[in-house]
Amino acid sequence: MKISGSYTVPAPRERAYQLLQDPGILAKCMPGTDQLHKLAEDEYDMKMKVVIASIGGQFGGKVRLEDQHPPESFKLIVEGSGKIGFLKGEGLLNLAANGDLTEVSFDGEVQVGGTIASVGQRLLDTTAKLIIKKFFQKLSEVANN
Amino acid sequence: MIAENFEYSAPTKLDDALRQLSNEDTKVLAGGMSLIPLMKLRLAAPGQLVDIGRIADLNFIHEEGGTLRIGATTTHYQVENSPLVRSRCPLLAEAASHIGDLQVRNMGTIGGSIAHADPAADYPASLLALEARVALVTAKSKREIPIADFFVDTFTTALEPGEIVHAVVVPVEDQSTGTSYQKVLQPASGFAIVGVAARIRKSGGKIAMARVGVTGLSGKPFRATQVEKALEGAAGSPSEIQKAAALVSDGVDANSDLHASADYRKHLARVYTMRALAIALSRTA
Amino acid sequence: MATTITKSDTLVGKRIRRREDPRLITGTATYVDDIQMPGMHHAVIVRSPHGAARIKRINIKKAQELPGVAAVFIGKDTEKVGPVPCGASLPGLRVPHHHILAIDRVYFVGHPVAVVVATDRYIARDAADLVEVDWEPLPTVTDPEKALAPGAAAVHPEWPDNTAFTYHQEGGDVDKAFAQADVVVKQRITSQRLIPSAMETRGVVAEWHTGDRALTLHSSTQIPHLLRTILAQMLGLEENRLRVVTPEVGGGFGSKLNVYAEEALMGFVAMKIGKPIKWIESRRENFTCTIQGRGHVDYYEVAAKRDGTILGIKLKLIQDLGAYHQLLTPAIPTLSVLMMPGIYNCQNIRADIVGVFTNAVPTDAYRGAGRPEATHGIERMVDILAAELKMDPADIRFKNFVSNDAFPYATATGLTYDSGNYAAPLVKAMDMVSYKKLRQEQAQARTDGRFLGIGISTYGEICALGPSPATPAGGWESATVKIEPSGKVTVMTGASPHGQGEETTFAQIAADELGVGIDDVLVVHGDTAIVQYGIGTFGSRATAVGGAAMYYAIQELKEKIKKYGAMLLESDNVSFANGACVDNKTGKSVPLAQIAAASYRAMKLPPNTEPGLVATYFWEPPNFTFPFGAHIVVTEVDRETGAIALKRYVAVDDCGKIINPLIVDGQVHGGVVQGLGQALWEQAVYDDTGQLITGEFMDYALPKASNIPWLETGHTETPSPVNPLGVKGVGEAGTIGCSPAVVNSVVDALSPLGVRHIDMPMTPEKIWNLVQAGGKA
């Protein structure tokens, strides 16, 4: 599944970039995630509890940051698996300055497997969008504080 | 296809049910047409189910002060076939008749459907076009909110923890109003690829009121206010309708899945808005 | 010998309601899941969520520790159980070793890796979630054409080209035919993977009788005896100590014409734990682990003269096999090749099949098994040719049909068509739709800017599978007919009907032959401990082969009856008719019940006659049978949305002699509905990583009653000379005739835009895109 879009983060580009590299901030913004434990440089262990309406599931996995070109772009790689399935997402995030704001655009591909892939086709697109939206909403809150 | 273990209760009194909803691991069972399959697939695993299906006080349709109040556990079949709904709010009866299949309509309920907030469910389009209100209740409080505020996002509603839908409140339709719900069916699930509900009232040869609700097109159902605005004051000629309907998908981040791409969905929304409007118009007095 | 039926009111030919239906529709039939046994345990199978992966480690400890769990078995435990067999043989066929549980590597989503056994199915299901498998995902390929491309992921590392076999067949002189042609049309035509979707999923109950060292295995299968023979080998059991019971089967459509890993696995578990074990396939498993149908990519070329005469046909057939061979997997596309010329007189053919491994569940027989694909191909090509030559699609068919005086007709593919009158169903179908008038309406609709389409398909197919030399496990069928001491008749058929209505049709035939009432006849099947060895029900064979076997058994019985009748009448000149023996001289008669009683009482036996009235007959058919027919479909395409409306559906089928028109219509209806499913809605979609993304009925669009137009059926009756009943078979005909008629209709509707071909399923979005692009895909 291809995923792309863009959000405006209320922070200058340098700061927006820093926020997006900070495991504490990422953990705060990823829905259902409490914290990220460092496994290696720019690689973190992740536990995520996704609850959307009645659908809920625990995922365990990794978050990795790669190809960093501060403050312009980096690659975000997320891998997770749980009882209801597994996912692997890879996306390129581009940050463009817009005065005091930053336009974050992303373009990536998510592979989903297991039960959610097989029976959740109708829901994948809308729920993925919802999770991303929640992430950026939270990021905006953090940036505003 | 076996769910994880869960506790189950089926209180017969609303108060008892509300008291049991304190735990965040509790889900309300109100027909189960979405929840039970999710549980059997183990995509949902609530620790406790409170089945509100046996609470007689939640199953009603009555007329009250220019509105119809429809209890949360009223089945789609009941809405579809209620003489009261058919005469006072025909749009809602028409929408109910499009839901799933007969078995689903016999089990599924209006409260369960809107609380689940499936972005492709049939009811929301009509409820938005009707500017319905939703009566919500907790163990301690009651409130009534506009339906547009109820649907927050994909599968996300304004329901607070411990709160359930008590009733859906729709206006008794003016007899001169013409309404229609038109839907493109997803051939496997029966959900709407796109569903459009239209209400039109004419006055002095002009469209005095137009309401358009859309489901299936995006992450949450919405009212196509730009279409409504374009119609109000118009005579309702086919070209005016076509022009207005063409606005329905503007600026919408459309859903895309196996069954319809975003572009095709947007196109279908335009066509079905046109069709729903034309039929609604033909039904105006 | 000649049969004389003087009774005026025969049962054969009557619309008699199915005798099996009351128990089916009142919930009193017994399916596998209805079987309960004391001490019965329940199994849930742990399966791969990956399209391909190495199993690094399996941890079953947590599952074993869950209270109520009796055992957990993994691939190493079952290594010695024989592999899941491939029953088809082709020269050079690569056959991967198919363990019943994967040991170190999985090849498709759903591949079984462990089985959890518990005291109830809920505990077993919970415990399955506790089995921890450490996977190392591997590259996958799911598209058969991509699998053939250089550098594709290898499904089986030992065969990096993913090619399981190639197969070449040629008849006549194709190169000459193409050299002489005025016109050659070419088209790539696909036939998508389909999910058979029997209403009852698979299920097994196995019980090990320790004292007798015997296993009883109940399975929802189409082939109880073949299953017994093969399972005995897989499990290392003596065949006569394995009893296979087939209770009620809720649909198979070919998906239960197989021997599955789970059947052997449950036998293994029962023997290990010494307790009865039940496994019921979930619908999710049925989607990913039961065989799927079709999966063709075909490249056709047809050469013709300007007048429409077809000279030659070339076909390159790419068959998506999936990760393994199930029982008949590689044989299915060879059936397509056999039927390549359809019912047209074309003696020059060339076919090349490539069987391709992919990371998906195996394909195998699904209603029609190779013939729908072949019919779809040739019927689409004939329409494309007609369009190219600006001929009416009916005219080009009349021009090319094998003529009535050409039977028996030898095809370029090595078959001999038994009998036919190919123009008759088309004439009848055209009459039923008022074809000429319809074309005028179409012309008017086109001037009004509407897309109205008329689609014709004429088909021929292979039924009554089949003569033993052409059928992997033997193609005969058996019957035992017993007249009980009371005169009641018991028929035991080796065919194992599972919804086709043979309990009714066989009783009609037997009752007519023996002059008894239909209620005096009981038809028994599906238990290897009761019924003599048989082959099973598939390939539209049960009545044409099994019914014929019963007919011959009855003829033998009649000889015995007459001997006893002669003895009782003290006559040397008796005949048997209307359920009684009559002395031809005196007119005195003795009824069958009295004869039967005397035969068992055996106070006095006629010379050289054994006591009792029982006869068993194993009948080997001399040929296949070849039914045919014509379907005409009227559709209208919504220009704005691409939606297809089915306006009329006319099916005229010739399945030889009709035993029960009601059942024949029912078979046609069901077949057509499945054909409509393929043409319009159904599609097993795999993503590149091997995930089946149409894994539930929420996304896999099975036809619903509300989608189906009124089906107008008609019949012509051209008896088959192959069997004494004159029947041909009708179980798959509807499916075979349907899909090309629907596609031809929609292509015809859009032909003003220059549309020439549309692949299935013809979704509204696909059609809308075509309309938007002005016909250019």
Side-chain angles (χ1 to χ4, degrees), chain C residues 13 21 28 31 70 85 175 226 241 246 252 255 287 351 482-483 531 602 617 641 702 728 732:
Chain C
D21 284 348
T28 49
Y31 294 86
D175 292 329
L226 297 179
R241 290 182 188 274
T246 305
S255 72
F287 268 88
K482 304 191 284 185
I483 299 171
V531 178
Y617 203 96
T641 65
L702 213 57
K728 289 195 171 183
E732 297 157 290

Short mmCIF file of all heavy atoms in Angstrom, two decimals, chain C residues 13 21 28 31 70 85 175 226 241 246 252 255 287 351 482-483 531 602 617 641 702 728 732:
data_model
loop_
_atom_site.label_atom_id
_atom_site.label_comp_id
_atom_site.label_asym_id
_atom_site.label_seq_id
_atom_site.Cartn_x
_atom_site.Cartn_y
_atom_site.Cartn_z
N GLY C 13 -37.19 -38.68 -16.57
CA GLY C 13 -37.73 -37.61 -17.39
C GLY C 13 -38.67 -36.70 -16.63
O GLY C 13 -39.09 -35.66 -17.13
N ASP C 21 -33.34 -33.33 -0.11
CA ASP C 21 -33.49 -31.95 0.37
C ASP C 21 -34.14 -31.79 1.74
O ASP C 21 -33.69 -30.94 2.52
CB ASP C 21 -34.23 -31.11 -0.67
CG ASP C 21 -33.32 -30.75 -1.84
OD1 ASP C 21 -32.09 -30.97 -1.70
OD2 ASP C 21 -33.81 -30.27 -2.86
N THR C 28 -31.34 -31.56 9.65
CA THR C 28 -31.25 -32.88 10.27
C THR C 28 -30.22 -33.77 9.58
O THR C 28 -30.09 -34.94 9.93
CB THR C 28 -32.63 -33.58 10.27
OG1 THR C 28 -33.18 -33.50 8.95
CG2 THR C 28 -33.57 -32.90 11.23
N TYR C 31 -23.30 -33.63 9.01
CA TYR C 31 -22.04 -33.23 8.41
C TYR C 31 -20.91 -33.62 9.36
O TYR C 31 -21.17 -34.01 10.50
CB TYR C 31 -22.01 -31.71 8.16
CG TYR C 31 -23.02 -31.24 7.15
CD1 TYR C 31 -24.32 -30.94 7.51
CD2 TYR C 31 -22.66 -31.12 5.80
CE1 TYR C 31 -25.26 -30.52 6.58
CE2 TYR C 31 -23.60 -30.70 4.86
CZ TYR C 31 -24.89 -30.39 5.25
OH TYR C 31 -25.80 -29.98 4.32
N ALA C 70 -3.59 -31.19 24.99
CA ALA C 70 -3.14 -32.58 25.10
C ALA C 70 -1.83 -32.81 24.36
O ALA C 70 -1.00 -33.62 24.78
CB ALA C 70 -4.21 -33.52 24.55
N PRO C 85 0.17 -36.30 -1.86
CA PRO C 85 0.50 -36.84 -3.18
C PRO C 85 0.03 -35.97 -4.36
O PRO C 85 -0.97 -35.27 -4.27
CB PRO C 85 -0.28 -38.16 -3.19
CG PRO C 85 -1.48 -37.88 -2.36
CD PRO C 85 -1.06 -36.90 -1.30
N ASP C 175 1.49 -24.73 -38.88
CA ASP C 175 2.24 -23.72 -39.63
C ASP C 175 1.62 -23.49 -41.00
O ASP C 175 1.49 -22.36 -41.47
CB ASP C 175 3.71 -24.16 -39.78
CG ASP C 175 4.41 -24.14 -38.42
OD1 ASP C 175 4.02 -23.29 -37.59
OD2 ASP C 175 5.30 -24.97 -38.19
N LEU C 226 -10.64 -43.38 -2.94
CA LEU C 226 -9.29 -42.97 -3.33
C LEU C 226 -8.56 -42.39 -2.12
O LEU C 226 -7.37 -42.63 -1.92
CB LEU C 226 -9.34 -41.93 -4.45
CG LEU C 226 -9.94 -42.40 -5.78
CD1 LEU C 226 -9.95 -41.28 -6.79
CD2 LEU C 226 -9.17 -43.61 -6.32
N ARG C 241 -7.60 -51.71 7.03
CA ARG C 241 -7.82 -51.27 8.41
C ARG C 241 -8.09 -49.77 8.48
O ARG C 241 -8.06 -49.17 9.51
CB ARG C 241 -6.61 -51.61 9.29
CG ARG C 241 -6.50 -53.10 9.52
CD ARG C 241 -5.34 -53.45 10.41
NE ARG C 241 -5.17 -54.89 10.45
CZ ARG C 241 -5.84 -55.69 11.30
NH1 ARG C 241 -6.67 -55.17 12.17
NH2 ARG C 241 -5.66 -56.99 11.27
N THR C 246 -17.74 -40.67 4.43
CA THR C 246 -18.09 -39.33 3.95
C THR C 246 -19.53 -39.08 4.34
O THR C 246 -20.44 -39.61 3.73
CB THR C 246 -17.98 -39.28 2.42
OG1 THR C 246 -16.66 -39.69 2.07
CG2 THR C 246 -18.22 -37.89 1.91
N GLY C 252 -18.58 -29.16 -2.93
CA GLY C 252 -17.17 -29.45 -3.16
C GLY C 252 -16.65 -28.63 -4.32
O GLY C 252 -15.66 -27.94 -4.23
N SER C 255 -13.10 -28.77 -5.02
CA SER C 255 -12.13 -28.47 -3.96
C SER C 255 -11.98 -29.62 -2.98
O SER C 255 -11.03 -29.66 -2.22
CB SER C 255 -12.53 -27.19 -3.21
OG SER C 255 -13.66 -27.42 -2.39
N PHE C 287 -10.17 -20.07 2.71
CA PHE C 287 -9.69 -19.09 1.73
C PHE C 287 -8.23 -19.31 1.36
O PHE C 287 -7.85 -19.19 0.20
CB PHE C 287 -9.87 -17.66 2.27
CG PHE C 287 -11.18 -17.03 1.91
CD1 PHE C 287 -12.30 -17.20 2.70
CD2 PHE C 287 -11.30 -16.26 0.76
CE1 PHE C 287 -13.51 -16.61 2.37
CE2 PHE C 287 -12.51 -15.68 0.41
CZ PHE C 287 -13.62 -15.85 1.22
N ALA C 351 -0.38 -26.33 -28.84
CA ALA C 351 -0.48 -25.78 -27.49
C ALA C 351 0.81 -26.01 -26.74
O ALA C 351 1.44 -27.07 -26.87
CB ALA C 351 -1.63 -26.45 -26.75
N LYS C 482 -29.03 -54.27 -4.49
CA LYS C 482 -29.56 -55.39 -3.68
C LYS C 482 -31.07 -55.28 -3.63
O LYS C 482 -31.59 -54.20 -3.37
CB LYS C 482 -29.05 -55.31 -2.24
CG LYS C 482 -27.56 -55.27 -2.10
CD LYS C 482 -27.13 -55.47 -0.64
CE LYS C 482 -27.35 -54.22 0.19
NZ LYS C 482 -26.83 -54.35 1.57
N ILE C 483 -31.73 -56.39 -3.88
CA ILE C 483 -33.16 -56.41 -3.58
C ILE C 483 -33.28 -57.16 -2.26
O ILE C 483 -32.88 -58.32 -2.14
CB ILE C 483 -33.96 -57.06 -4.71
CG1 ILE C 483 -33.74 -56.22 -5.97
CG2 ILE C 483 -35.45 -57.12 -4.34
CD1 ILE C 483 -34.28 -56.81 -7.22
N VAL C 531 -19.77 -49.58 1.15
CA VAL C 531 -19.89 -49.52 -0.31
C VAL C 531 -18.63 -50.10 -0.95
O VAL C 531 -17.52 -49.86 -0.47
CB VAL C 531 -20.09 -48.05 -0.75
CG1 VAL C 531 -20.17 -47.94 -2.26
CG2 VAL C 531 -21.35 -47.48 -0.10
N ALA C 602 -34.58 -69.42 0.07
CA ALA C 602 -33.78 -70.46 -0.59
C ALA C 602 -34.22 -71.88 -0.27
O ALA C 602 -33.38 -72.77 -0.13
CB ALA C 602 -32.28 -70.25 -0.27
N TYR C 617 -21.57 -54.38 -10.15
CA TYR C 617 -21.03 -54.19 -11.50
C TYR C 617 -20.01 -53.06 -11.49
O TYR C 617 -20.29 -51.99 -10.96
CB TYR C 617 -22.16 -53.86 -12.48
CG TYR C 617 -21.80 -54.19 -13.92
CD1 TYR C 617 -22.17 -55.41 -14.48
CD2 TYR C 617 -21.05 -53.30 -14.69
CE1 TYR C 617 -21.82 -55.73 -15.78
CE2 TYR C 617 -20.69 -53.62 -15.99
CZ TYR C 617 -21.09 -54.83 -16.53
OH TYR C 617 -20.73 -55.16 -17.82
N THR C 641 -21.07 5.10 -14.94
CA THR C 641 -20.41 4.44 -13.81
C THR C 641 -19.66 3.17 -14.18
O THR C 641 -18.89 2.65 -13.37
CB THR C 641 -21.44 4.04 -12.74
OG1 THR C 641 -22.32 3.05 -13.30
CG2 THR C 641 -22.25 5.23 -12.26
N LEU C 702 -18.49 -13.13 -3.69
CA LEU C 702 -19.26 -14.27 -4.17
C LEU C 702 -20.63 -13.76 -4.65
O LEU C 702 -21.17 -12.85 -4.05
CB LEU C 702 -19.45 -15.23 -2.98
CG LEU C 702 -19.50 -16.72 -3.25
CD1 LEU C 702 -18.26 -17.21 -3.97
CD2 LEU C 702 -19.67 -17.47 -1.94
N LYS C 728 -25.14 -37.56 -20.55
CA LYS C 728 -23.81 -37.02 -20.76
C LYS C 728 -23.21 -36.39 -19.50
O LYS C 728 -22.06 -36.58 -19.19
CB LYS C 728 -23.84 -35.98 -21.88
CG LYS C 728 -24.05 -36.60 -23.26
CD LYS C 728 -23.74 -35.62 -24.37
CE LYS C 728 -23.73 -36.33 -25.73
NZ LYS C 728 -23.35 -35.41 -26.81
N GLU C 732 -21.11 -29.27 -14.62
CA GLU C 732 -20.20 -28.15 -14.83
C GLU C 732 -20.58 -27.27 -16.02
O GLU C 732 -19.99 -26.22 -16.24
CB GLU C 732 -18.77 -28.71 -15.01
CG GLU C 732 -18.30 -29.43 -13.77
CD GLU C 732 -17.20 -30.44 -14.04
OE1 GLU C 732 -17.45 -31.48 -14.66
OE2 GLU C 732 -16.06 -30.16 -13.64
#
